[in-house]
Amino acid sequence: MIAIQCEHVDFHVRKKQILHDVTFSIYPGEIAGLLGPNGVGKSSLLRILSGVMPPSQGCVKLFGQTAGVSTLGDTAVLADRGKLPAWLTCDQWIQFARKIFPDWDDDRAAHLIEELEIKKEAKLSSLSRGEEARMQLLTCMARRSRIVLLDEPFTGVDLLTRERIATTVVKSLADGERAFLIATHDIREMESLFDRIVFLQDGKVRAVDAVEDLRERGYSVESRYREVFA
Amino acid sequence: MTLMEPWRPPAISLDTNRSFFEQFADMIRSAIAKGELQAGQRIIAVREFASIFRVNPNTVMRTYADLEREGFLQTFRGQGTFVTKDPSILEKSKKVLARLAYEKWEETAKSLGMTIEQIIEIARKENEEGEKL
């Protein structure tokens, strides 16, 4: 079974073509990176994969089901620059989220509050960028969704929080059923996390690589990134 | 069964251009060769190992499976993964590490268009001259 199957996806807004013939597959148990500079269509692609926006052409299947309303319950998304309701405290937000997500898991949430050191009483408006990123990650990971899409989770976040986010991702994978796709333009210190890399440029897939294969050929993700985008 | 603490790998940073499962295997083999990891000792679970290095547990699983095939590790359902209870394991790990070192030398020698013996000869001379100075 393929977790994320993206086939010949085109996307345009009026005459502007954002994505051209995007094709790749991600398997259960994988942590995949969607890499590319800013503005190449990573966020548009994630929106299409998450089922909230249909492609102009082509098709996306998540565990065999066409992405759309029916897959929303099995897909957790961390949106780039997504905003949490500032007037709530962390705990009020968690209480709200557990009601809107049918696959919310209270045990996981309790565990994540501890692991990500969430200050339950703090107002969301008072959180630092790193604390907010951790809170958003919790909102994704407290769900049982088999597909997790994270859009730029490391941006503007300090190194320790980056590492903590990465550790949480690794730990939440243990059952091997989940698949992660993490869009980022910045791979510093995070490259060990990825098993598969999809390189996107100007709305096109430039390369898809299994990372251990790259390493066996003497490449790092970073050196391959330079080669692809040079 | 001994009540030894399970062995944890050192939290060093990995080479990003060498395969991780091989680096993990090197860590375990050399811990055995140095006596830090003893016959019969348990090593931490795949999941814990993976979260130290923030890598996919699959990669660590591959290392454990490779080392089981080589006879260094044994996994018992519900109990965990252990270093094989075999007094010759120390010798065996040294042999494997020596072979790996040899392969690396061979590669270097080849890239220089020399034999390993020539390299050793040069290194020995340099060393002697260094001592004279």
Side-chain angles (χ1 to χ4, degrees):
Chain A
M1 183 66 93
I2 300 173
I4 303 174
Q5 189 177 12
C6 186
E7 296 224 302
H8 308 295
V9 163
D10 278 0
F11 181 63
H12 37 83
V13 178
R14 291 191 202 91
K15 283 200 172 148
K16 191 167 187 248
Q17 185 125 22
I18 313 281
L19 298 170
H20 303 257
D21 197 22
V22 171
T23 299
F24 65 89
S25 296
I26 309 296
Y27 296 85
E30 280 188 337
I31 306 172
L34 178 62
L35 304 188
N38 281 321
V40 295
K42 297 193 296 292
S43 293
S44 300
L45 180 56
L46 283 199
R47 273 200 290 276
I48 290 169
L49 298 178
S50 72
V52 295
M53 201 166 75
S56 306
Q57 262 181 58
C59 99
V60 174
K61 288 202 167 141
L62 305 178
F63 286 98
Q65 268 202 313
T66 303
V69 175
S70 65
T71 59
L72 291 179
D74 202 14
T75 309
V77 183
L78 186 154
D80 185 20
R81 279 165 284 176
K83 280 273 168 272
L84 297 169
W87 58 93
L88 296 181
T89 65
C90 291
D91 195 45
Q92 285 169 328
W93 167 250
I94 291 167
Q95 295 311 319
F96 179 71
R98 68 189 286 265
K99 279 184 219 144
I100 47 176
F101 295 119
D103 59 347
W104 188 269
D105 183 324
D106 281 329
D107 290 342
R108 281 191 199 184
H111 181 76
L112 287 162
I113 287 169
E114 214 167 287
E115 189 171 291
L116 295 168
E117 289 179 33
I118 303 290
K119 298 178 201 143
K120 284 169 82 173
E121 302 312 318
K123 272 259 166 65
L124 291 169
S125 58
S126 72
L127 301 184
S128 69
R129 176 70 190 104
E131 288 167 335
E132 196 186 344
R134 272 152 33 206
M135 192 62 224
Q136 283 176 329
L137 188 73
L138 177 142
T139 313
C140 272
M141 307 294 244
R143 299 177 53 190
R144 294 191 200 92
S145 324
R146 286 181 297 173
I147 305 276
V148 182
L149 306 172
L150 308 179
D151 196 359
E152 300 285 358
F154 306 123
T155 305
V157 165
D158 60 279
L159 178 64
L160 287 179
T161 298
R162 289 157 81 99
E163 290 187 342
R164 201 170 285 173
I165 291 173
T167 307
T168 305
V169 167
V170 165
K171 281 191 177 161
S172 75
L173 198 75
D175 55 2
E177 229 214 341
R178 274 191 154 170
F180 282 83
L181 182 62
I182 303 175
T184 179
H185 66 278
D186 179 6
I187 48 164
R188 275 177 306 150
E189 296 115 13
M190 288 298 118
E191 68 165 273
S192 65
L193 190 59
F194 302 117
D195 314 296
R196 189 179 296 275
I197 300 284
V198 178
F199 292 98
L200 199 69
Q201 189 178 35
D202 300 330
K204 292 178 195 152
V205 173
R206 291 289 306 274
V208 182
D209 290 306
V211 180
E212 279 286 86
D213 293 351
L214 283 181
R215 293 195 191 107
E216 283 189 79
R217 280 156 45 208
Y219 281 97
S220 66
V221 174
E222 207 176 318
S223 61
R224 178 74 173 138
Y225 187 97
R226 288 216 183 83
E227 185 183 79
V228 170
F229 293 117
Chain B
M1 185 164 298
T2 50
L3 283 170
M4 263 184 288
E5 281 280 300
W7 179 81
R8 302 173 66 82
I12 53 171
S13 38
L14 300 169
D15 281 346
T16 50
N17 52 6
R18 259 188 74 213
S19 73
F20 286 177
F21 73 89
E22 276 173 16
Q23 294 182 61
F24 295 148
D26 283 352
M27 278 178 204
I28 295 171
R29 285 196 211 98
S30 62
I32 295 172
K34 288 179 197 155
E36 293 164 10
L37 183 50
Q38 288 159 23
Q41 192 175 350
R42 186 157 71 90
I43 64 178
I44 57 169
V46 166
R47 190 176 170 174
E48 212 179 324
F49 197 119
S51 61
I52 291 173
F53 296 98
R54 292 182 283 278
V55 300
N56 195 316
N58 288 340
T59 313
V60 180
M61 246 186 276
R62 184 167 171 192
T63 298
Y64 283 22
D66 282 358
L67 292 179
E68 273 181 48
R69 221 170 304 117
E70 291 176 15
F72 288 110
L73 299 180
Q74 275 178 308
T75 297
F76 298 102
R77 253 210 131 101
Q79 294 182 55
T81 303
F82 299 80
V83 177
T84 309
K85 256 195 183 159
D86 172 357
S88 67
I89 201 84
L90 194 80
E91 275 316 303
K92 197 173 162 185
S93 65
K94 286 183 180 169
K95 266 187 204 158
V96 174
L97 288 175
R99 199 195 67 224
L100 290 173
Y102 186 83
E103 279 170 11
K104 244 182 230 168
W105 284 18
E106 225 176 14
E107 211 175 289
T108 310
K110 213 171 149 194
S111 72
L112 296 173
M114 296 160 86
T115 65
I116 291 178
E117 289 73 21
Q118 283 172 313
I119 288 181
I120 293 172
E121 192 54 44
I122 290 171
R124 193 170 282 150
K125 263 190 198 152
E126 291 262 302
N127 227 357
E128 280 166 13
E129 278 164 23
E131 271 165 26
K132 270 181 228 156
L133 291 172

